[in-house]
Amino acid sequence: MSDRAAFRAFVRTHHPDVGGDPAVFAAGLARFRQPESRYDAPVTFVARRRGIAALLVRFRRRPSRVR
């Protein structure tokens, strides 16, 4: 089971909204939120070009065909 799947399974079973114990839930979150955990990393969004600019970029990156 991957880290993400383990985290989601833990939250589904121990969340206080579904009848879990709040103290157990808080302790489990602290365990998953270790510095090496990738889920605490900031979310970054990458803007993508749209319209004609995007088509030009795609066309220029396309490898040439050899016949």
Side-chain angles (χ1 to χ4, degrees):
M1 180 180 287
S2 71
D3 291 341
R4 180 177 170 87
F7 177 76
R8 291 174 57 86
F10 171 79
V11 170
R12 270 189 245 114
T13 56
H14 294 93
H15 197 278
D17 288 348
V18 293
D21 183 19
V24 172
F25 184 69
L29 284 182
R31 181 176 46 112
F32 277 106
R33 290 185 174 161
Q34 297 300 319
E36 67 270 7
S37 178
R38 65 180 181 179
Y39 301 112
D40 287 340
V43 177
T44 57
F45 293 94
V46 178
R48 296 179 72 189
R49 294 183 179 173
R50 297 180 182 262
I52 299 296
L55 291 175
L56 290 174
V57 169
R58 285 186 196 167
F59 182 72
R60 289 180 189 154
R61 288 185 185 167
R62 183 181 295 170
S64 61
R65 293 182 184 176
V66 178
R67 292 183 185 197

